[in-house]
Amino acid sequence: MKKVDVCLSPDLMHLYKTDDRTVVVVDILRATSCMTTAFAYGIQSITPFASLEDCRAMKSKGYFTSGERDGKKVEGFDLGNSPFEYMAEKLQGQKIAFTTTNGTQAIAKSMDAKEIVIGSFLNLSAVAKHIRQCQNDVLIVCAGWKGRFNLEDTLFAGALIESLRNEIELECDAPQACVHLYKLAKSNMIEFLKEASHVKRLANLNIFEDIKFCLTIDKYDVLPVLKGSKFEV
Ligand code: 3SL
């Protein structure tokens, strides 16, 4: 049976061997939700960068530059990190260079993986379907916040594992903890997350609609997969 484990922070990546695994990178608020939305609206590719300056340099190569630091759009970038920004017609068929505080750092730390896919509540079933079909064991990598645990990525891991129950073997205790938390939260995730640190951080920036949107399950049937240095569908 396929094994599934969860890395609850990118700072724990050294504990996991990923060269034979599919890694699902998750940053519900909001990086992987933005990436999923961008592909649902017809973006051609997203190239992730850990470094702000490397990302900025892609502007002169015809890329839209996008992302954030500490939740705020980067000065001089074309786009920030709200999923609603990625619904624009002008982005269809375009290439994005993307850097965020945690999401693209988690991607950078997953680069040894056999395969990297992007997970969010918005494409939960597309991720589950891919896991069912692929041969690899799986590691779900939660982006967290600057190395710390967060609740929303953990809930996604629980939701994904729950949707694959009886089809997978859980390794270690982290996947079990994710499922327990998801079961507690699933009837009202917004209420469950109201005290979550990043929900409060975004609320301090007057960001509310993004949170509700990013917790919507199965809005899109797209699966961003890393091909070389860029994500495509
Ligand atoms: O850290 C990240 O990758 C971002 O998604 C954080 S924020 O929601 O844009 O603040």
Side-chain angles (χ1 to χ4, degrees):
M1 209 184 254
K2 201 168 291 170
K3 292 181 189 154
V4 175
D5 208 342
V6 180
C7 176
L8 292 168
S9 155
D11 283 13
L12 298 175
M13 277 303 278
H14 61 280
L15 300 176
Y16 300 90
K17 188 175 151 309
T18 55
D19 58 354
D20 55 354
R21 290 200 179 225
T22 291
V23 162
V24 180
V25 176
V26 47
D27 185 353
I28 295 302
L29 299 175
R30 296 165 289 170
T32 59
S33 300
C34 285
M35 295 173 80
T36 304
T37 304
F39 282 109
Y41 277 81
I43 205 79
Q44 183 195 112
S45 69
I46 298 179
T47 307
F49 290 90
S51 143
L52 202 59
E53 292 320 316
D54 291 348
C55 187
R56 195 191 296 280
M58 298 304 281
K59 178 88 184 151
S60 61
K61 297 180 182 155
Y63 286 69
F64 278 82
T65 48
S66 78
E68 56 67 49
R69 281 296 179 271
D70 293 328
K72 295 178 204 132
K73 181 178 169 189
V74 179
E75 212 183 314
F77 273 31
D78 299 305
L79 303 157
N81 201 29
S82 166
F84 297 106
E85 292 179 78
Y86 294 83
M87 298 174 182
E89 219 172 292
K90 66 173 182 191
L91 296 176
Q92 282 176 16
Q94 301 295 330
K95 297 178 288 186
I96 284 180
F98 188 52
T99 183
T100 68
T101 310
N102 303 284
T104 60
Q105 316 301 323
I107 293 168
K109 288 197 172 178
S110 303
M111 281 301 185
D112 286 342
K114 185 167 181 192
E115 178 186 58
I116 303 180
V117 303
I118 292 301
S120 66
F121 283 111
L122 299 169
N123 70 341
L124 176 65
S125 289
V127 179
K129 184 175 165 198
H130 180 75
I131 292 174
R132 264 185 212 108
Q133 287 169 351
C134 83
Q135 302 300 315
N136 309 329
D137 290 334
V138 174
L139 181 68
I140 305 166
V141 175
C142 299
W145 182 264
K146 300 185 180 177
R148 296 183 184 192
F149 171 92
N150 82 22
L151 274 175
E152 62 275 13
D153 298 344
T154 307
L155 293 186
F156 169 82
L160 182 58
I161 292 162
E162 179 72 352
S163 71
L164 294 164
R165 69 177 169 281
N166 305 329
E167 301 171 72
I168 54 170
E169 182 189 325
L170 304 190
E171 293 180 281
C172 203
D173 290 354
Q176 293 182 44
C178 294
V179 172
H180 286 309
L181 280 173
Y182 180 62
K183 283 183 178 167
L184 283 175
K186 69 179 177 185
S187 62
N188 191 345
M189 284 200 283
I190 293 182
E191 175 65 21
F192 188 87
L193 289 171
K194 73 173 193 279
E195 295 299 322
S197 53
H198 198 48
V199 166
K200 287 192 193 160
R201 213 175 277 121
L202 291 175
N204 283 336
L205 297 169
N206 285 318
I207 297 167
F208 300 102
E209 285 308 304
D210 290 12
I211 298 166
K212 203 169 144 203
F213 182 81
C214 293
L215 297 175
T216 310
I217 292 180
D218 281 344
K219 198 166 174 59
Y220 305 125
D221 185 21
V222 294
L223 184 75
V225 180
L226 190 70
K227 294 180 185 146
S229 60
K230 59 186 184 218
F231 284 92
E232 292 175 345
V233 288

